[in-house]
Amino acid sequence: QLRALGKPVVVFLLNGGMVALEDLLANDDQASLAIIEAFYPGAAGSQALAESIFGRTNRWGKMPYTVYPANWTQNNSML
């Protein structure tokens, strides 16, 4: 419902495993969507995320793995 407003949306994922994002990515207007994977950010994680998203710090890293679409294994041989 937030994306229907036409404003940019930032989604923070705080998790320890895989998350299904198909419903989130189903919208055609993906240019207004940012997904930030924070895993388990620890006790000071929320403060660090807030400081980063509002530009007080710039400590963004790169993910150590690649995220493929759900149908990737159907279209590519895993052998």
Side-chain angles (χ1 to χ4, degrees):
Q1 293 175 345
L2 287 174
R3 293 181 72 190
L5 298 174
K7 302 285 185 183
V9 175
V10 178
V11 176
F12 284 99
L13 299 177
L14 307 174
N15 57 59
M18 292 186 277
V19 177
L21 300 175
E22 286 84 9
D23 291 342
L24 185 64
L25 299 174
N27 192 325
D28 291 334
D29 182 25
Q30 292 183 13
S32 66
L33 177 65
I35 300 173
I36 298 173
E37 173 61 80
F39 298 103
Y40 288 127
S46 59
Q47 181 69 33
L49 290 171
E51 288 177 3
S52 295
I53 196 72
F54 291 112
R56 295 177 119 190
T57 61
N58 185 8
R59 298 183 181 191
W60 299 107
K62 297 188 187 231
M63 292 195 324
Y65 60 89
T66 303
V67 178
Y68 294 100
N71 63 351
W72 192 87
T73 57
Q74 295 169 356
N75 299 330
N76 298 283
S77 174
M78 298 297 292
L79 300 176

